[in-house]
């Protein structure tokens, strides 16, 4: 059995700046242009049955503005008339209205249980599109940057069951056979989930290929992964041979139409009643076993020696094993109670010793802690907690003061992992435990490569480019956004995060109005000195803030090298960030 390789991300030290002094607030005005939309964006709000955190991550925080990374400064959105609208910017002072490039054949308003329509730019001439009702479209567009050759034409469309959104897609050409492989995300109800949210996340990896006989596209392969959390990042490798996922909880491949009988058996085992219950004091232990109906004293054999116990019920071995510590076998005894329960009293040889388990390695019992023990433990831990903010700071063991912690000091209880799956074996080949390296955002630097992902590293934010062809060094550190990991933690209302493909700036927006821009250090034209150290400062990093003239919520956010695009319900804003051509 092959085991996945445990890998690590290698930081390039020359890309880190240990002497970075922070961002200087700049009051330079940012040119901002506003376009009023002909029709409102096709926003789909969460329904009453979409109440989990996973629904919020996948659909409630969905980015309705899509950037075509194959063509510079070209963005798309879908309005409530079912039109795919495009704005391509050549000159900021001569902005045209968004133009319609495609109209969905279905009437979206007729579907009550639909999701948001989603689009992904597979290549310079292909697009995958979902209308949010469960139908997948493969569209040939021609060269989208050329008005003479651009024509959006449906090459494939098929109903694929429950509604989904498109996460990623790749266009492949092997031996003159064209195919498109795409990744679809659903959140589906799991009736057998007793303890969790009752939902699971499904990633469907679908491959569509052109049939040479009839020149039609058809589905040739469909693999499904299941997990319990929405992935932060999921992308197919450029050659279609693998898949990479960043998520809190792991994903595994399942067979299409997997037999549910095995799941029912596993679930019944999970909720099975413990074999026995046990309690303890400082001096003794009490073991309680529920007997089958009609059991008598003759059916039961209980044998114990100082470090071993053996219980036989109706000539069947019930419980046997080494005790955690020694007992006084002469003083230990057992009795059958009136409620058809067997009670065994074991006297500890080592008084005061707390047993973590009754029988070494046995997991069939359940330990019941009484209220007196809980009170004693709480009293021992009293010095660590207090209802007062800081009642006695001079005390030998002062309580932890949560107000001394900043939000950037708080990490998630569960760490994320980065996994690479092989497309042929459907097994995990590489695993990276990200630990406290919090996921921030993803960006497409080169459309022919996989999307990059940005992780927090200490106070910085590091950008990583996956290279599926390099098995030994699969993730390359390509850029650093100084102190951005620390800065973004203070923005409690942040909704979307992005950066320029040339790494010149990073930006984030709040749910309403405000956009924060963090420019990376650039040379200054004037002579500046650090007043504390007296040394000359050659570069300055700037922070800028833009406030949009609208009260509508921000629904979409995209960054290019020169501009920021911000989409609200009824307007599209364009912020000129870099004035250099």
């Amino acid at each position: 059995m092959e085991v996945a390789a445990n890998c690590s991300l290698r930081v390039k030290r020359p890309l880190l700046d240990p002497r970075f002094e922070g961002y200087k607030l700049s009051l330079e005005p940012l040119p901002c242009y506003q376009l009023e939309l002909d029709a409102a964006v096709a926003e789909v709000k969460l329904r009453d049955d979409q109440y989990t955190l996973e629904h919020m991550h996948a659909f409630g925080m969905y980015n309705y503005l899509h950037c075509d990374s194959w063509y510079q400064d070209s963005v798309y959105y879908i309005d409530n008339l079912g039109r795919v609208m495009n704005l391509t910017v050549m000159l900021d002072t001569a902005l045209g209205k968004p133009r319609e490039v495609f109209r969905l054949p279905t009437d979206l308003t007729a579907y009550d249980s639909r999701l948001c329509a989603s689009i992904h730019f597979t290549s310079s001439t292909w697009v995958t599109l979902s209308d949010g009702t469960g139908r997948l479209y493969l569209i040939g567009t021609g060269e989208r940057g050329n008005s003479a050759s651009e024509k959006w034409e449906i090459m494939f469309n098929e109903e694929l069951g429950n509604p989904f959104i498109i996460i990623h897609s790749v266009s492949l050409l092997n031996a003159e056979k064209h195919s498109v492989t795409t990744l679809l995300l659903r959140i589906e109800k799991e009736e057998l989930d007793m303890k969790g949210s009752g939902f699971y996340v499904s990633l469907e990896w679908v491959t569509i290929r052109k049939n040479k006989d009839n020149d039609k596209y058809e589905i040739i392969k469909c693999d499904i992964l299941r997990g319990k959390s929405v992935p932060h990042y999921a992308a197919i490798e450029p050659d279609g041979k693998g898949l990479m996922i960043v998520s809190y909880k792991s994903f595994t491949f399942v067979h299409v139409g997997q037999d549910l009988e095995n799941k029912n058996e596993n679930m019944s085992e999970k909720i099975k009643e413990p074999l026995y219950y046990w309690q303890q004091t400082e001096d003794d232990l009490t073991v309680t076993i529920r007997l089958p109906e009609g059991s008598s004293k003759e059916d039961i054999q209980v044998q114990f020696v100082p470090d071993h116990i053996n219980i036989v019920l109706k000539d069947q071995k019930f419980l046997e094993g080494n005790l955690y510590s020694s007992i006084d076998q002469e003083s230990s005894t057992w009795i059958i109670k009136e409620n058809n329960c067997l009670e065994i009293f074991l006297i500890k040889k080592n008084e005061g010793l707390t047993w973590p388990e009754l029988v070494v390695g046995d997991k069939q019992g359940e330990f019941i802690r009484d209220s007196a023990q809980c009170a004693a433990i709480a009293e021992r831990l009293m010095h660590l907690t207090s209802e007062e903010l800081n009642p006695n700071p001079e005390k030998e063991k002062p309580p932890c003061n949560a107000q001394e912690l900043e939000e950037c000091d708080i990490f998630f209880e569960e760490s994320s992992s980065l996994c690479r799956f092989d497309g042929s074996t459907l097994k995990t080949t590489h695993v990276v435990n990200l630990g406290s390296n919090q996921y921030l955002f993803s960006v497409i630097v080169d459309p022919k490569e996989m999307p990059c992902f940005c992780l927090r590293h200490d106070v910085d934010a590091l950008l990583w480019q996956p290279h599926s062809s390099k098995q030994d060094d699969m993730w390359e550190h390509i850029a650093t956004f100084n102190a951005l990991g620390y800065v973004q933690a203070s923005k409690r209302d942040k909704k979307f995060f992005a950066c320029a493909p040339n790494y010149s700036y990073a930006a984030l927006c709040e749910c309403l109005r405000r956009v924060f821009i963090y420019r990376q250090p650039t040379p200054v034209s004037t002579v500046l000195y650090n007043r504390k150290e007296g040394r000359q400062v050659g570069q300055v990093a700037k922070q800028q803030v833009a406030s949009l003239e609208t009260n509508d919520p921000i629904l979409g956010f995209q960054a290019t090298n020169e501009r920021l695009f911000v989409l609200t319900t009824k307007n599209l804003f364009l912020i000129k960030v870099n004035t250099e051509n």
Side-chain angles (χ1 to χ4, degrees):
M1 179 179 173
E2 293 185 11
V3 179
N6 282 307
C7 308
S8 59
L9 301 177
R10 300 176 189 171
V11 176
K12 291 183 179 178
R13 296 293 168 188
L15 294 180
L16 302 181
D17 183 4
R19 304 190 69 178
F20 181 73
E21 296 179 347
Y23 293 96
K24 312 299 180 188
L25 181 63
S26 171
L27 300 179
E28 295 174 18
L30 287 166
C32 184
Y33 306 92
Q34 178 177 349
L35 290 173
E36 189 173 348
L37 308 182
D38 293 336
V41 176
E43 180 187 6
V44 179
K45 297 187 177 177
L46 294 180
R47 305 186 304 271
D48 290 342
D49 60 345
Q50 296 174 321
Y51 52 82
T52 69
L53 190 61
E54 307 314 319
H55 286 101
M56 174 58 71
H57 283 163
F59 312 132
M61 301 286 283
Y62 185 74
N63 194 339
Y64 286 85
L65 190 62
H66 309 275
C67 187
D68 186 352
S69 56
W70 298 89
Y71 299 96
Q72 183 72 14
D73 292 294
S74 184
V75 293
Y76 293 76
Y77 67 91
I78 299 169
D79 65 18
N80 56 16
L81 300 179
R83 301 180 300 173
V84 178
M85 306 295 287
N86 164 244
L87 176 69
T88 302
V89 180
M90 296 295 184
L91 192 63
D92 299 278
T93 54
L95 291 175
K97 281 274 190 183
R99 63 188 180 96
E100 177 185 341
V101 295
F102 182 75
R103 189 182 290 251
L104 289 165
T106 52
D107 180 14
L108 300 183
T109 57
Y111 294 85
D112 294 331
S113 60
R114 68 187 175 98
L115 298 177
C116 41
S118 54
I119 187 171
H120 189 265
F121 299 94
T122 310
S123 72
S124 59
T125 56
W126 289 93
V127 162
T128 48
L129 177 65
S130 163
D131 59 8
T133 68
R135 184 169 289 274
L136 176 66
Y137 295 89
L138 177 60
I139 300 173
T141 63
E143 290 186 16
R144 292 188 292 277
N146 186 342
S147 57
S149 62
E150 181 176 5
K151 182 184 178 184
W152 290 48
E153 184 179 357
I154 298 175
M155 307 303 292
F156 166 90
N157 83 92
E158 190 169 313
E159 185 73 34
L160 298 181
N162 292 336
F164 56 84
I165 59 173
I166 298 173
I167 300 294
H168 192 237
S169 61
V170 171
S171 177
L172 306 169
L173 188 62
N174 296 323
E176 298 184 358
K177 289 183 180 179
H178 179 248
S179 61
V180 169
T181 180
T182 183
L183 203 57
L184 317 176
L185 182 144
R186 294 185 177 92
I187 297 180
E188 301 194 283
K189 189 79 175 168
E190 186 169 24
E191 303 295 341
L192 297 174
D193 188 1
M194 301 290 187
K195 294 182 179 179
S197 64
F199 293 88
Y200 67 89
V201 179
S202 168
L203 288 177
E204 196 166 334
W205 188 359
V206 179
T207 303
I208 305 164
R209 181 183 291 171
K210 187 175 184 179
N211 189 324
K212 276 195 170 184
D213 297 334
N214 54 17
D215 279 350
K216 289 185 177 180
Y217 284 85
E218 54 191 33
I219 294 176
I220 60 161
K221 187 180 179 185
C222 179
D223 296 306
I224 297 175
L225 296 99
R226 278 192 183 182
K228 295 297 286 185
S229 67
V230 171
H232 296 303
Y233 171 97
I236 302 166
E237 295 172 358
D239 57 6
K241 294 180 180 179
L243 175 70
M244 294 186 193
I245 296 176
V246 177
S247 63
Y248 274 137
K249 298 183 180 176
S250 60
F251 277 79
T252 53
F253 276 99
V254 297
H255 300 295
V256 179
Q258 185 179 23
D259 189 9
L260 291 177
E261 288 183 11
N262 295 333
K263 292 193 72 180
N264 289 333
E265 289 175 10
N266 294 337
M267 189 57 64
S268 65
E269 287 177 9
K270 285 182 184 177
I271 60 177
K272 190 166 63 175
E273 189 178 347
L275 197 63
Y276 59 90
Y277 298 90
W278 66 287
Q279 295 174 285
Q280 65 176 317
T281 65
E282 289 190 350
D283 305 320
D284 57 42
L285 305 104
T286 304
V287 184
T288 305
I289 299 171
R290 194 180 301 279
L291 298 172
E293 288 292 331
S295 298
S296 63
K297 191 173 182 179
E298 288 72 27
D299 298 326
I300 302 166
Q301 295 176 31
V302 180
Q303 299 172 341
F304 31 69
V305 293
D307 56 359
H308 192 87
I309 190 170
N310 181 25
I311 303 172
V312 177
L313 181 60
K314 292 185 177 180
D315 298 327
Q316 297 281 333
K317 194 173 287 186
F318 187 83
L319 178 64
E320 183 184 17
N322 293 326
L323 296 169
Y324 176 76
S325 186
S326 299
I327 61 169
D328 182 356
Q329 69 184 86
E330 299 297 331
S331 304
S332 301
T333 183
W334 58 275
I335 188 174
I336 297 178
K337 305 278 281 190
E338 292 180 359
N339 58 357
N340 208 36
C341 285
L342 170 66
E343 278 197 1
I344 304 171
F345 304 99
L346 305 175
I347 307 301
K348 296 179 180 178
K349 262 194 177 175
N350 301 319
E351 295 181 5
L353 176 66
T354 302
W355 291 24
E357 57 185 345
L358 179 68
V359 177
V360 177
D362 185 75
K363 306 295 183 186
Q364 301 175 88
E366 182 177 313
F367 176 59
I368 300 173
R369 197 185 300 275
D370 64 23
S371 57
Q373 285 178 309
C374 294
I377 292 171
E379 189 175 348
R380 268 184 253 145
L381 299 176
M382 187 73 75
H383 70 279
L384 297 176
T385 60
S386 173
E387 293 181 2
E388 300 173 49
L389 183 62
N390 198 350
N392 188 0
E394 304 301 326
K395 197 175 176 182
E396 185 182 348
K397 295 180 179 178
C400 173
N401 189 346
Q403 287 206 346
E404 292 177 0
L405 294 175
E406 298 184 53
E407 188 173 340
C408 55
D409 297 320
I410 300 170
F411 297 111
F412 297 100
E413 291 183 3
E414 295 180 71
S415 61
S416 299
S417 61
L418 165 60
C419 297
R420 191 259 177 189
F421 294 88
D422 185 87
S424 55
T425 63
L426 306 183
K427 292 181 179 178
T428 310
T429 60
H430 299 72
V431 176
V432 179
N433 183 6
L434 298 180
S436 60
N437 299 123
Q438 178 191 359
Y439 174 89
L440 299 178
F441 62 89
S442 64
V443 61
I444 298 176
V445 172
D446 180 355
K448 294 178 182 177
E449 294 281 351
M450 297 179 73
C452 301
F453 54 86
C454 189
L455 302 176
R456 178 176 173 176
H457 178 84
D458 197 10
V459 297
D460 296 329
L462 273 53
L463 200 62
W464 299 89
Q465 174 68 68
H467 296 293
S468 57
S469 57
K470 300 177 181 177
Q471 291 295 314
D472 296 332
D473 192 12
M474 202 169 276
W475 299 280
E476 180 188 3
H477 174 202
I478 59 172
T480 299
F481 295 102
N482 297 299
L484 194 63
Y486 183 88
V487 170
Q488 60 84 31
S490 65
K491 302 293 183 284
R492 305 190 69 166
D493 294 328
K494 62 179 177 289
K495 186 172 185 180
F496 297 120
F497 217 146
C499 76
N502 64 0
Y503 334 127
S504 58
Y505 71 91
L508 61 87
C509 70
E510 296 182 338
C511 298
L512 288 170
R513 297 176 68 91
R514 290 200 296 178
V515 176
F516 298 88
I517 299 163
Y518 300 94
R519 297 179 183 273
Q520 294 311 290
T522 53
V524 290
S525 55
T526 57
V527 179
L528 288 178
Y529 287 90
N530 183 304
R531 282 184 289 183
K532 290 182 180 178
E533 300 178 10
R535 61 181 176 82
Q536 185 173 341
V537 178
Q539 292 185 321
V540 171
K542 296 179 182 178
Q543 173 192 348
Q544 291 177 284
V545 182
S547 186
L548 306 178
E549 295 181 1
T550 179
N551 291 319
D552 293 331
I554 293 176
L555 299 180
F557 190 67
Q558 293 291 348
T560 64
N561 290 336
E562 294 186 12
R563 302 171 179 87
L564 269 174
F565 296 89
V566 187
L567 182 69
T568 65
T569 311
K570 300 171 186 173
N571 294 281
L572 179 59
F573 292 87
L574 188 153
I575 301 172
K576 183 79 169 179
V577 179
N578 291 325
T579 53
E580 303 87 8
N581 291 325

Short mmCIF file of all heavy atoms in Angstrom, two decimals, residues 497-531:
data_model
loop_
_atom_site.label_atom_id
_atom_site.label_comp_id
_atom_site.label_asym_id
_atom_site.label_seq_id
_atom_site.Cartn_x
_atom_site.Cartn_y
_atom_site.Cartn_z
N PHE A 497 -10.47 39.21 -0.67
CA PHE A 497 -9.04 39.48 -0.63
C PHE A 497 -8.50 39.24 -2.03
O PHE A 497 -8.90 38.29 -2.70
CB PHE A 497 -8.40 38.49 0.35
CG PHE A 497 -7.28 39.03 1.17
CD1 PHE A 497 -7.09 38.59 2.46
CD2 PHE A 497 -6.39 39.96 0.66
CE1 PHE A 497 -6.04 39.06 3.25
CE2 PHE A 497 -5.35 40.44 1.43
CZ PHE A 497 -5.18 39.99 2.72
N ALA A 498 -7.56 40.06 -2.49
CA ALA A 498 -7.00 39.87 -3.83
C ALA A 498 -5.63 40.52 -3.89
O ALA A 498 -5.25 41.29 -3.00
CB ALA A 498 -7.92 40.45 -4.90
N CYS A 499 -4.89 40.23 -4.96
CA CYS A 499 -3.62 40.92 -5.20
C CYS A 499 -3.40 41.04 -6.69
O CYS A 499 -4.03 40.33 -7.49
CB CYS A 499 -2.46 40.18 -4.54
SG CYS A 499 -1.90 38.71 -5.41
N ALA A 500 -2.51 41.94 -7.08
CA ALA A 500 -2.18 42.10 -8.49
C ALA A 500 -1.35 40.91 -8.95
O ALA A 500 -0.51 40.41 -8.20
CB ALA A 500 -1.40 43.39 -8.68
N PRO A 501 -1.56 40.45 -10.19
CA PRO A 501 -0.75 39.32 -10.69
C PRO A 501 0.74 39.60 -10.72
O PRO A 501 1.55 38.67 -10.73
CB PRO A 501 -1.31 39.11 -12.11
CG PRO A 501 -2.70 39.65 -12.06
CD PRO A 501 -2.65 40.81 -11.11
N ASN A 502 1.13 40.90 -10.73
CA ASN A 502 2.57 41.23 -10.71
C ASN A 502 3.06 41.53 -9.30
O ASN A 502 4.16 42.06 -9.12
CB ASN A 502 2.87 42.40 -11.65
CG ASN A 502 2.18 43.69 -11.22
OD1 ASN A 502 1.47 43.73 -10.21
ND2 ASN A 502 2.40 44.76 -11.98
N TYR A 503 2.24 41.24 -8.29
CA TYR A 503 2.56 41.36 -6.85
C TYR A 503 2.79 42.80 -6.40
O TYR A 503 3.32 43.02 -5.29
CB TYR A 503 3.81 40.53 -6.44
CG TYR A 503 4.13 39.34 -7.28
CD1 TYR A 503 5.40 39.17 -7.82
CD2 TYR A 503 3.17 38.36 -7.54
CE1 TYR A 503 5.71 38.06 -8.60
CE2 TYR A 503 3.47 37.25 -8.31
CZ TYR A 503 4.74 37.11 -8.85
OH TYR A 503 5.05 36.02 -9.62
N SER A 504 2.42 43.80 -7.19
CA SER A 504 2.73 45.19 -6.81
C SER A 504 1.87 45.68 -5.65
O SER A 504 2.27 46.61 -4.95
CB SER A 504 2.53 46.11 -8.02
OG SER A 504 1.19 46.01 -8.50
N TYR A 505 0.72 45.09 -5.44
CA TYR A 505 -0.13 45.49 -4.32
C TYR A 505 -1.07 44.34 -3.96
O TYR A 505 -1.32 43.43 -4.76
CB TYR A 505 -0.93 46.76 -4.65
CG TYR A 505 -2.05 46.55 -5.66
CD1 TYR A 505 -3.34 46.22 -5.24
CD2 TYR A 505 -1.82 46.65 -7.04
CE1 TYR A 505 -4.37 46.01 -6.16
CE2 TYR A 505 -2.83 46.45 -7.95
CZ TYR A 505 -4.10 46.13 -7.52
OH TYR A 505 -5.10 45.91 -8.43
N ALA A 506 -1.57 44.40 -2.74
CA ALA A 506 -2.64 43.51 -2.29
C ALA A 506 -3.79 44.39 -1.84
O ALA A 506 -3.59 45.55 -1.46
CB ALA A 506 -2.17 42.61 -1.16
N ALA A 507 -5.00 43.85 -1.88
CA ALA A 507 -6.17 44.65 -1.52
C ALA A 507 -7.21 43.77 -0.87
O ALA A 507 -7.31 42.58 -1.17
CB ALA A 507 -6.74 45.34 -2.75
N LEU A 508 -7.98 44.37 0.01
CA LEU A 508 -9.13 43.67 0.59
C LEU A 508 -10.28 44.66 0.72
O LEU A 508 -10.07 45.87 0.80
CB LEU A 508 -8.78 43.03 1.93
CG LEU A 508 -8.31 43.90 3.11
CD1 LEU A 508 -9.49 44.42 3.91
CD2 LEU A 508 -7.41 43.10 4.01
N CYS A 509 -11.48 44.13 0.73
CA CYS A 509 -12.66 44.99 0.86
C CYS A 509 -13.53 44.48 2.00
O CYS A 509 -13.51 43.29 2.33
CB CYS A 509 -13.46 45.05 -0.44
SG CYS A 509 -14.31 43.52 -0.85
N GLU A 510 -14.27 45.39 2.59
CA GLU A 510 -15.22 45.03 3.62
C GLU A 510 -16.57 44.73 2.97
O GLU A 510 -16.73 44.85 1.75
CB GLU A 510 -15.34 46.16 4.64
CG GLU A 510 -14.04 46.39 5.40
CD GLU A 510 -14.14 47.48 6.45
OE1 GLU A 510 -15.05 48.33 6.34
OE2 GLU A 510 -13.32 47.48 7.38
N CYS A 511 -17.54 44.36 3.77
CA CYS A 511 -18.86 44.03 3.23
C CYS A 511 -19.52 45.27 2.61
O CYS A 511 -20.29 45.15 1.66
CB CYS A 511 -19.76 43.46 4.33
SG CYS A 511 -19.12 41.91 5.03
N LEU A 512 -19.22 46.43 3.15
CA LEU A 512 -19.79 47.68 2.66
C LEU A 512 -18.71 48.72 2.43
O LEU A 512 -17.82 48.89 3.28
CB LEU A 512 -20.81 48.25 3.66
CG LEU A 512 -22.15 47.52 3.80
CD1 LEU A 512 -22.92 48.08 4.99
CD2 LEU A 512 -22.98 47.67 2.52
N ARG A 513 -18.74 49.38 1.29
CA ARG A 513 -18.05 50.63 0.99
C ARG A 513 -16.53 50.60 0.94
O ARG A 513 -15.94 50.96 -0.06
CB ARG A 513 -18.50 51.74 1.97
CG ARG A 513 -19.97 52.09 1.88
CD ARG A 513 -20.33 53.12 2.95
NE ARG A 513 -19.72 54.40 2.67
CZ ARG A 513 -20.29 55.37 1.95
NH1 ARG A 513 -21.49 55.19 1.44
NH2 ARG A 513 -19.67 56.51 1.74
N ARG A 514 -15.87 50.18 2.02
CA ARG A 514 -14.44 50.46 2.14
C ARG A 514 -13.55 49.41 1.47
O ARG A 514 -13.78 48.20 1.58
CB ARG A 514 -14.04 50.60 3.60
CG ARG A 514 -14.59 51.87 4.23
CD ARG A 514 -13.82 52.25 5.47
NE ARG A 514 -13.95 51.26 6.53
CZ ARG A 514 -13.33 51.37 7.69
NH1 ARG A 514 -12.54 52.41 7.92
NH2 ARG A 514 -13.49 50.45 8.62
N VAL A 515 -12.50 49.92 0.80
CA VAL A 515 -11.49 49.09 0.14
C VAL A 515 -10.12 49.53 0.64
O VAL A 515 -9.82 50.72 0.67
CB VAL A 515 -11.56 49.24 -1.40
CG1 VAL A 515 -10.44 48.45 -2.07
CG2 VAL A 515 -12.91 48.80 -1.93
N PHE A 516 -9.30 48.57 1.08
CA PHE A 516 -7.95 48.85 1.59
C PHE A 516 -6.93 48.32 0.60
O PHE A 516 -7.01 47.17 0.18
CB PHE A 516 -7.74 48.19 2.96
CG PHE A 516 -8.68 48.69 4.03
CD1 PHE A 516 -9.93 48.09 4.20
CD2 PHE A 516 -8.33 49.74 4.85
CE1 PHE A 516 -10.80 48.53 5.18
CE2 PHE A 516 -9.18 50.20 5.82
CZ PHE A 516 -10.43 49.60 5.99
N ILE A 517 -5.95 49.18 0.27
CA ILE A 517 -4.91 48.82 -0.70
C ILE A 517 -3.56 48.90 -0.01
O ILE A 517 -3.24 49.91 0.64
CB ILE A 517 -4.96 49.75 -1.92
CG1 ILE A 517 -6.32 49.62 -2.62
CG2 ILE A 517 -3.82 49.45 -2.89
CD1 ILE A 517 -6.63 50.75 -3.56
N TYR A 518 -2.76 47.84 -0.14
CA TYR A 518 -1.44 47.78 0.48
C TYR A 518 -0.39 47.64 -0.62
O TYR A 518 -0.22 46.56 -1.19
CB TYR A 518 -1.36 46.62 1.47
CG TYR A 518 -2.39 46.75 2.57
CD1 TYR A 518 -3.63 46.12 2.47
CD2 TYR A 518 -2.13 47.53 3.69
CE1 TYR A 518 -4.59 46.27 3.47
CE2 TYR A 518 -3.08 47.67 4.69
CZ TYR A 518 -4.30 47.04 4.57
OH TYR A 518 -5.24 47.20 5.56
N ARG A 519 0.26 48.75 -0.90
CA ARG A 519 1.29 48.75 -1.95
C ARG A 519 2.60 48.23 -1.38
O ARG A 519 2.99 48.59 -0.27
CB ARG A 519 1.50 50.17 -2.49
CG ARG A 519 0.28 50.78 -3.16
CD ARG A 519 0.62 52.19 -3.61
NE ARG A 519 -0.52 52.87 -4.20
CZ ARG A 519 -0.84 52.79 -5.49
NH1 ARG A 519 -0.11 52.05 -6.31
NH2 ARG A 519 -1.88 53.46 -5.96
N GLN A 520 3.28 47.42 -2.14
CA GLN A 520 4.55 46.89 -1.69
C GLN A 520 5.65 47.96 -1.83
O GLN A 520 5.49 48.93 -2.57
CB GLN A 520 4.90 45.63 -2.47
CG GLN A 520 3.94 44.48 -2.17
CD GLN A 520 3.75 44.27 -0.67
OE1 GLN A 520 4.65 43.84 0.02
NE2 GLN A 520 2.56 44.59 -0.16
N PRO A 521 6.76 47.83 -1.09
CA PRO A 521 7.79 48.89 -1.07
C PRO A 521 8.27 49.27 -2.46
O PRO A 521 8.59 48.40 -3.29
CB PRO A 521 8.92 48.25 -0.25
CG PRO A 521 8.24 47.25 0.62
CD PRO A 521 7.10 46.71 -0.20
N THR A 522 8.32 50.58 -2.71
CA THR A 522 8.82 51.12 -3.97
C THR A 522 9.80 52.25 -3.66
O THR A 522 9.69 52.91 -2.63
CB THR A 522 7.68 51.67 -4.84
OG1 THR A 522 6.90 52.61 -4.06
CG2 THR A 522 6.76 50.55 -5.32
N PRO A 523 10.77 52.48 -4.54
CA PRO A 523 11.76 53.55 -4.31
C PRO A 523 11.07 54.92 -4.21
O PRO A 523 10.08 55.19 -4.88
CB PRO A 523 12.67 53.47 -5.53
CG PRO A 523 12.49 52.09 -6.07
CD PRO A 523 11.06 51.71 -5.77
N VAL A 524 11.62 55.78 -3.35
CA VAL A 524 11.07 57.13 -3.19
C VAL A 524 11.97 58.12 -3.91
O VAL A 524 13.19 57.96 -3.98
CB VAL A 524 10.96 57.51 -1.69
CG1 VAL A 524 9.88 56.71 -1.02
CG2 VAL A 524 12.28 57.31 -0.97
N SER A 525 11.33 59.16 -4.43
CA SER A 525 12.08 60.15 -5.22
C SER A 525 12.82 61.15 -4.33
O SER A 525 13.81 61.74 -4.74
CB SER A 525 11.13 60.89 -6.16
OG SER A 525 10.06 61.46 -5.43
N THR A 526 12.32 61.36 -3.11
CA THR A 526 12.96 62.32 -2.20
C THR A 526 13.82 61.57 -1.18
O THR A 526 13.71 60.36 -1.03
CB THR A 526 11.90 63.14 -1.44
OG1 THR A 526 11.04 62.23 -0.74
CG2 THR A 526 11.08 63.98 -2.41
N VAL A 527 14.67 62.31 -0.47
CA VAL A 527 15.54 61.72 0.53
C VAL A 527 14.80 61.63 1.86
O VAL A 527 14.30 62.63 2.37
CB VAL A 527 16.84 62.54 0.71
CG1 VAL A 527 17.72 61.92 1.78
CG2 VAL A 527 17.58 62.64 -0.62
N LEU A 528 14.69 60.40 2.40
CA LEU A 528 14.02 60.18 3.68
C LEU A 528 14.97 59.51 4.65
O LEU A 528 15.81 58.69 4.25
CB LEU A 528 12.77 59.29 3.49
CG LEU A 528 11.56 59.90 2.78
CD1 LEU A 528 10.48 58.85 2.65
CD2 LEU A 528 11.03 61.10 3.55
N TYR A 529 14.84 59.87 5.94
CA TYR A 529 15.66 59.26 6.98
C TYR A 529 14.78 58.69 8.08
O TYR A 529 13.74 59.26 8.42
CB TYR A 529 16.63 60.28 7.59
CG TYR A 529 17.78 60.65 6.68
CD1 TYR A 529 17.66 61.72 5.79
CD2 TYR A 529 18.96 59.92 6.69
CE1 TYR A 529 18.71 62.06 4.94
CE2 TYR A 529 20.01 60.25 5.85
CZ TYR A 529 19.89 61.31 4.97
OH TYR A 529 20.92 61.64 4.13
N ASN A 530 15.19 57.56 8.63
CA ASN A 530 14.53 56.99 9.80
C ASN A 530 14.98 57.78 11.02
O ASN A 530 16.16 57.83 11.35
CB ASN A 530 14.93 55.52 9.95
CG ASN A 530 14.22 54.85 11.10
OD1 ASN A 530 14.29 55.29 12.23
ND2 ASN A 530 13.54 53.74 10.79
N ARG A 531 14.02 58.43 11.71
CA ARG A 531 14.37 59.33 12.81
C ARG A 531 14.99 58.59 13.99
O ARG A 531 15.81 59.14 14.71
CB ARG A 531 13.13 60.09 13.27
CG ARG A 531 12.77 61.24 12.33
CD ARG A 531 11.61 62.04 12.86
NE ARG A 531 10.36 61.28 12.78
CZ ARG A 531 9.17 61.78 13.14
NH1 ARG A 531 9.10 63.00 13.63
NH2 ARG A 531 8.09 61.06 13.02
#
